[in-house]
Amino acid sequence: MSGDPKIAIRGLRKSFGSKHVLQGIDLDVGVGESLVVIGGSGTGKSVMLKCILGLLQPDAGSIRIDGSEVVGLSAGEREALMRKFGMLFQGSALFDSLAVWENVAFGLIQGRGLKRAAAREIALQKLAAVGLGADVAALRPAELSGGMQKRVALARAIAAEPEIIFFDEPTTGLDPIMADIINDLIIKCVKDLGATAISITHDMASTRKIADRVAMIHNGRIIWAGLKSEIDRSGNPYVDQFIHGRAEGPIRMEVRAR
């Protein structure tokens, strides 16, 4: 990574009672870079993402975006910061009561104050960018397949042309072919916007497709980070076990006997 990072995280800590989830995260994300964060369930990936988004307040540490500290911002400052962000949620998180185009345009109308007609035009453009025609715009999410819902969610994530896009398990619940289609769309949309991207996933096929760099969280810390081309020779036994999905290794999964 060259130049100043778009996002710089130092010493990030977050606990919930006696459970220490983040235990000193240090991580940089370059401008226009696609970083994928991998790790098992409960290792802190989602908590880290929520701290960056401001949905959770860290107990300690620094998060700087474009060189400015964002931990502890006021409500007004946080609202301005959120304009830089787009988000594709796990499970798509579409509003069942709204038409597809209204889902895509939701942030434009509610957050940016755009008139409905102008927001609808942008929504149609973004739907086209993810391979969906105008005939889909008036449908409800329940009328769509899982893959089409994910495309709508991606269109919503890019609707306001954000500088930073977060992808939370973007291929969960999709068959391998549709997952690869979504991965291709993520690459295209991020590149077209020139956006910085952070993805969290368990899916190594997705990781290898969309990442420029990969970082692995284990026990609340970044234990390895590097180019995706380096991951197969990381020399880290935790990374090696995870990327190959081996039961045997230093990572121990808790299994309770019935």
Side-chain angles (χ1 to χ4, degrees):
M1 184 182 65
S2 60
D4 295 331
K6 184 73 171 178
I7 303 172
I9 302 171
R10 296 291 181 273
L12 195 66
R13 294 180 176 272
K14 182 65 181 177
S15 298
F16 300 93
S18 62
K19 185 173 178 59
H20 306 298
V21 180
L22 301 182
Q23 302 188 56
I25 295 287
D26 294 324
L27 191 62
D28 288 339
V29 189
V31 176
E33 180 177 60
S34 177
L35 175 77
V36 176
V37 181
I38 61 173
S41 299
T43 54
K45 302 187 303 297
S46 293
V47 172
M48 182 190 74
L49 208 64
K50 289 175 182 178
C51 286
I52 300 171
L53 284 162
L55 301 176
L56 288 174
Q57 184 72 12
D59 300 327
S62 168
I63 303 171
R64 302 181 74 86
I65 296 178
D66 291 327
S68 298
E69 181 62 55
V70 301
V71 174
L73 290 181
S74 68
E77 291 169 328
R78 173 64 59 182
E79 184 177 344
L81 175 67
M82 293 298 286
R83 289 175 174 261
K84 294 189 177 192
F85 297 158
M87 179 82 189
L88 191 155
F89 296 92
Q90 184 177 356
S92 300
L94 300 176
F95 297 107
D96 293 337
S97 60
L98 299 180
V100 162
W101 80 263
E102 291 173 309
N103 270 278
V104 176
F106 186 83
L108 299 172
I109 296 169
Q110 300 298 326
R112 305 294 178 94
L114 258 65
K115 299 294 186 183
R116 285 176 63 84
R120 186 177 185 279
E121 285 304 309
I122 294 173
L124 293 176
Q125 292 169 16
K126 299 308 179 186
L127 286 168
V130 299
L132 294 176
D135 56 317
V136 174
L139 299 178
R140 291 287 193 270
E143 299 177 88
L144 306 180
S145 67
M148 291 176 74
Q149 288 182 15
K150 193 70 75 170
R151 291 189 192 204
V152 173
L154 178 56
R156 180 175 63 185
I158 65 172
E161 302 193 347
E163 297 176 30
I164 302 168
I165 310 177
F166 301 95
F167 298 99
D168 184 2
E169 300 286 0
T171 56
T172 293
L174 301 179
D175 67 69
I177 294 173
M178 182 52 67
D180 197 49
I181 290 170
I182 295 299
N183 288 333
D184 284 340
L185 286 170
I186 287 172
I187 294 167
K188 176 183 180 297
C189 291
V190 170
K191 183 178 180 180
D192 287 350
L193 289 175
T196 300
I198 299 181
S199 307
I200 58 175
T201 186
H202 299 92
D203 183 349
M204 286 310 303
S206 183
T207 298
R208 293 177 187 279
K209 190 76 177 274
I210 69 176
D212 295 320
R213 281 197 312 129
V214 181
M216 181 169 174
I217 292 184
H218 182 68
N219 284 343
R221 294 185 175 91
I222 301 294
I223 61 167
W224 183 85
L227 297 173
K228 71 174 175 183
S229 60
E230 300 169 342
I231 196 167
D232 288 307
R233 54 181 188 277
S234 69
N236 186 303
Y238 292 86
V239 174
D240 188 61
Q241 180 187 356
F242 185 86
I243 66 174
H244 292 105
R246 298 186 183 124
E248 296 299 320
I251 302 172
R252 296 296 180 184
M253 304 299 290
E254 183 178 339
V255 180
R256 296 181 180 179
R258 296 192 178 211

